[in-house]
Amino acid sequence: MQVVYSPAHLGHDVSVETYMGSPVPANEVAERAERIRSALESDGGFPISGPTAHGLEPITAVHEPGLVRFLEEAWSAVRSQGIERPFLSADTYPNRSMFEGMSDDAIRDIVREPRHIGGRAGFWGLDSAAPLVAGTYVAALAAVDVALTAVDLVLGGERAVYGLCRPPGHHAARSMYGGYCFFNNAAIAADSIARSTGERVAVLDVDFHHGNGTQQIFWRRGDVRYVSIHADPDRQYPYFLGRADETGEGEGSGENLNIPLQAGATNGDYLDSLDRALEAIAAAPGSVIVVSLGFDTYGLDPIGDFALTTDVYHEIGKRTAALRRRLVILQEGGYHRPSLGENARAWLRGAEGRAFDPLPANGFGPGGTVTG
Ligand code: SP5
Ligand code: ZN
């Protein structure tokens, strides 16, 4: 299987993020993508090539131009405003209750993007745990190019291509970044496929977290079906979206399927949900699936609470490919660094119909048997 990768992600790296206001070791670090790249290189079956530049048009087809401008200017504004911090994170968010009692018209007239960069980050940001640094914008642009190059290869005849996107994308909405995501790589890919083929597209999101950004972008669209299996937002980020009763509106009515799962979800629980998700995808026409692939469902993930094991990723890839649609597979989260390479290799080999073939003595945590 062809792999698309760009070293530009290396410019977006941090050692610390904040969790509920306190500094904690960063989760979404450059080492993640390097672990995956090196495991795929060692496998020998995954030729890696660089992305081609696709410009801003496919990005602004999905994202508000003001968000793009903010991300482009943010780091130089941090410096020119004399803020000596290792990364940018919001100071103040426009909580909706700040405007309680004001009409929508009044809000539109009065509330605008401020000049202070800590306020600007609050205006465009979802949460305080998505640090932005000097190389973030260039890395985020490259991740989109990785996704769109994977799209080109698939539309050019490849059956499945893996885009090693970093930073990830599925929490980024039309006018919002957050959750370690800046541009929504999968949504940009799905929108681009829908526009260039005129076909319907499905997004299958198997990251541990709900892809609130992807859901928001396609909420009213009938041409892109979004199906996600994730931690119940009652207990996990992004907290405010991801429930089963969110099904879309207007032309998008019935096109959004959320499958929330309980803490401790096992391989068997997950495969049952996957079969439901795949049924929903098979029920709509279309020949391409965009996969938002996260490994934060792994049992040892530091921020997830599911119990999946490496062998189940092979099975998930295999069942996804069994729909016999073309696959644009894009990397999202997954934070247990030692297992990332093997988990990615297992998933992608499963999708290709190759045997699991785990590396000897390279199991992490409890072994597991696929059930269900
Ligand atoms: C792409 C992706 O996976 N984004 C995830 C963003 C999660 N942000 C919130 C992280 C909350 C971490 N909770 C730590 C709990 C430690 N016990
Ligand atoms: Zn995630």
Side-chain angles (χ1 to χ4, degrees):
M1 185 185 300
Q2 292 236 56
V3 173
V4 188
Y5 162 89
S6 165
H9 83 90
L10 294 166
H12 171 67
D13 201 14
V14 288
S15 51
V16 168
E17 63 184 55
T18 52
Y19 176 57
M20 296 177 70
S22 304
V24 296
N27 291 299
E28 207 294 279
V29 294
E31 183 191 338
R32 296 178 55 247
E34 295 306 301
R35 289 263 191 177
I36 296 175
R37 181 172 65 87
S38 104
L40 298 181
E41 275 173 359
S42 311
D43 181 275
F46 294 98
I48 301 181
S49 58
T52 55
H54 288 70
L56 290 178
E57 188 280 333
I59 298 179
T60 52
V62 160
H63 289 293
E64 187 63 32
L67 173 66
V68 182
R69 193 175 322 120
F70 162 76
L71 293 172
E72 182 186 4
E73 296 171 0
W75 192 254
S76 60
V78 167
R79 288 301 179 233
S80 68
Q81 294 183 9
I83 296 161
E84 297 297 331
R85 299 281 166 188
F87 58 81
L88 171 64
S89 173
D91 177 34
T92 300
Y93 296 100
N95 184 301
R96 51 188 296 145
S97 299
M98 190 174 187
F99 317 110
E100 201 172 316
M102 293 167 68
S103 66
D104 288 353
D105 283 349
I107 292 172
R108 219 177 350 262
D109 290 347
I110 293 167
V111 182
R112 58 184 170 76
E113 183 176 1
R115 268 197 306 276
H116 190 281
I117 194 63
R120 290 181 74 183
F123 185 83
W124 295 108
L126 165 62
D127 62 82
S128 59
L132 189 154
V133 296
T136 299
Y137 179 66
V138 167
L141 285 178
V144 170
D145 283 327
V146 164
L148 291 171
T149 304
V151 167
D152 293 340
L153 290 166
V154 164
L155 296 185
E158 293 292 324
R159 218 183 99 54
V161 175
Y162 173 61
L164 212 182
C165 294
R166 184 178 173 275
H170 74 153
H171 296 300
R174 173 168 183 79
S175 308
M176 185 179 79
Y177 77 100
Y180 312 144
C181 305
F182 299 90
F183 295 131
N184 193 319
N185 309 308
I188 293 165
D191 173 73
S192 159
I193 296 164
R195 287 191 295 144
S196 73
T197 64
E199 274 189 18
R200 291 171 52 131
V201 181
V203 179
L204 172 67
D205 190 329
V206 292
D207 185 273
F208 171 77
H209 302 94
H210 176 246
N212 60 283
T214 314
Q215 169 171 304
Q216 183 276 322
I217 287 163
F218 298 118
W219 184 250
R220 287 182 177 275
R221 280 175 61 165
D223 58 342
V224 179
R225 175 167 290 197
Y226 178 68
V227 179
S228 177
I229 306 166
H230 50 263
D232 192 318
D234 271 338
R235 69 169 197 285
Q236 287 285 353
Y237 184 93
Y239 304 113
F240 304 103
L241 285 176
R243 302 203 160 77
D245 59 3
E246 297 158 18
T247 53
E249 288 183 78
E251 291 182 9
S253 188
E255 297 296 328
N256 195 90
L257 175 62
N258 286 333
I259 306 178
L261 287 177
Q262 73 285 6
T266 62
N267 290 345
D269 297 329
Y270 200 92
L271 290 174
D272 289 346
S273 299
L274 180 72
D275 289 343
R276 270 188 67 203
L278 294 175
E279 251 175 62
I281 287 172
S287 66
V288 185
I289 303 172
V290 176
V291 180
S292 269
L293 178 57
F295 296 113
D296 32 9
T297 50
Y298 187 61
L300 294 178
D301 192 274
I303 71 174
D305 62 20
F306 290 175
L308 303 205
T309 56
T310 299
D311 54 339
V312 86
Y313 294 117
H314 183 263
E315 181 67 19
I316 294 167
K318 186 171 146 191
R319 291 193 191 187
T320 301
L323 289 186
R324 312 214 58 79
R325 295 194 185 190
R326 293 176 287 171
L327 302 177
V328 175
I329 305 159
L330 304 178
Q331 190 60 45
E332 299 280 1
Y335 307 101
H336 181 256
R337 276 115 82 171
S339 64
L340 279 174
E342 271 298 89
N343 288 345
R345 221 170 60 84
W347 207 106
L348 299 173
R349 287 175 66 107
E352 281 190 301
R354 294 161 73 200
F356 173 29
D357 191 25
L359 291 178
N362 200 12
F364 299 97
T369 307
V370 177
T371 53

